[in-house]
Amino acid sequence: MPSQKFADNELVMGRWPGSSLYYEVQVVSFDNITDRYTVKYKDGTELELKESDIKCISSFRSKKRHSGSSSPSRRRSRSRSRSPGRTLKNTTRRSNSQGREIKEVKKTDILETKLTPVLRENNVGRYNGEGHIIEKNDMSVSFTQQQNFEQEFEDNEILTRYSIRPRREESKMQVMDSKEENLMEKVPVKREEMELEFGGKIGTFFMIFLLPATVFFLLLICEQKDASILNLPSPLPALEDLWDVRVFGVFLLWFFVQALFYLLPIGKVVDGMPLSNGKALKYRINGFYAFVLTATSLGVSLYFKMGLHYVYDHFLQLAVSATVFSVLLSIYLYVRSYKVPHEELSLGGNSGNLIYDFFMGRELNPCIGTFDLKYFCELRPGLIGWVVINLVMLLAEMKAQNRDAPSLSMILVNSFQLLYVVDALWNEEAILTTMDITHDGLGFMLAFGDLVWVPFVYSLQAFYLVNHPTEISWPVASAIITLNVFGYAIFRGANSQKYAFRRNPSDPKLAHLKSIPTASGKNLLISGWWGLVRHPNYLGDLIMALAWSLACGFNHILPYFYVIYFTCLLIHREARDERQCKKKYGLAWEKYCQRVQFRIFPYIY
């Protein structure tokens, strides 16, 4: 049975979950079964902490950590034999040279002393959502002794404000102080404390195989005459038909052309969000220029009648090539992550399990020189590739169905999704505040998602319409257009408001917005779009996804895979956001939830 190290009602320092900040807390009780302490913060919050998250107040003392022998009273009692004003006994027995040596020693001690502050107040941060709090750290006491302790502390601070200490001791103490402060500021998150996501080790293992299998299954179903998900693809393609070196070369060409556009010295350079080490990476915002260059290249290809139909003819092989590339990229990223400093690792991808960390991504911002791999993959090859694939499918529909013009359904799907991509590239800077950039590492999850899932699954509606023509009337089309515009207005309004507030909360244009302060220095919006519902951008995203699917009619459920998947994704993402925000903002997040109670998925979790 574990022993209780800290007594009930003892005043100690407890770490706030999910951070490296320590606050003064009172031990309420100890559970022998879970080996956890229930502690009470000054604002009344009670949490359960492990013993490793609790420290004695004495360990936070800055200048009074040396032994009791250096206290003023004991120092005086031991230094009387060296006091300059005290006469030495039996000095006549000593030689004149010895007397001179003693005098020189005493003179050196006098010259090497100085007045230095011993105690100082340690600013241990703010309670979440509360005012500024300064903690004075000393030996452990109970709440019933706190008033006497504070008075005694103030008296001792006056008496020991200045002490006589040799410079050599003082310099050593300063080095010890700085080392301890650095250790306290860089307290790493222990692996056993991590909350594994996506089903943990087992869940991520199966997702590594399930995600590619889902992509291939959907693409094979779309090629069938009867696009029912209940009909297994028959016959299955041979393995040699899934891989072509030339197709892989085409994919590599696309990837490196987009990388070349990314490296062009055009567009402004902005700072990203501050990292855990206090630094902020710089990003060049030129995604929209890359899109314009890509569109120009496609226009030239169409003018010279170059074979864009090649993409449609080898669509499944391109998906296989993209999958192989994403796996190779993920392996490279995992191996190189062991050569980077610990502070450059992501919080959620350093569990110590190979499969889980490979999936989540260990390194937060892997860069090759100035080339940021994660930032590049987020918007460039996959998102722009999505638009290119849609255009190829529009041309393929006209050829397959002998049409002089694309169908109204195909025009709507292309237009809606083109607006979505152009909006993302035009507002590229806003992605710097998303969870993908600030929290998640670049592993298989993001690499496969950006390079395979986005271009080959998000274009599913356009691919479906090539061999499954759907005719809709203009009144129906008008209703679908209205729905998409409504969703886009919510999506863009919410995202723009959030990004503007994060970048400059004191902007006069945002003066009408109300917010709640947090311990991290950020504020939580409780008015505007974000005061109506939590995650209003998710709501707009879902409405647009529904409009894209409705344009494909109701003959099969396959075109609705995107909106079904997207609903599940946003449910999971909202749950992740809730957990992360609760850890990050603490009491401030609880206050936000009380003010904004309406959620898009109120009964899911």
Side-chain angles (χ1 to χ4, degrees), residues 10-22:
E10 184 177 350
L11 193 65
V12 295
M13 302 300 291
R15 185 170 70 87
W16 184 264
S19 73
S20 59
L21 298 178
Y22 281 76

Side-chain angles (χ1 to χ4, degrees), residues 13 56-68 70 118-120 122 136-140 149 153 156 160 173 176-177 180-181:
M13 302 300 291
C56 294
I57 290 184
S58 58
S59 64
F60 281 73
R61 294 166 60 197
S62 300
K63 293 290 185 180
K64 217 177 174 184
R65 287 186 300 273
H66 51 277
S67 63
S70 61
V118 174
L119 298 178
R120 68 172 179 265
N122 292 334
K136 296 180 179 180
N137 300 329
D138 206 281
M139 52 193 305
S140 301
F149 163 74
F153 183 89
N156 289 338
T160 60
M173 292 302 299
M176 293 173 62
D177 292 338
E180 182 168 334
E181 288 174 0

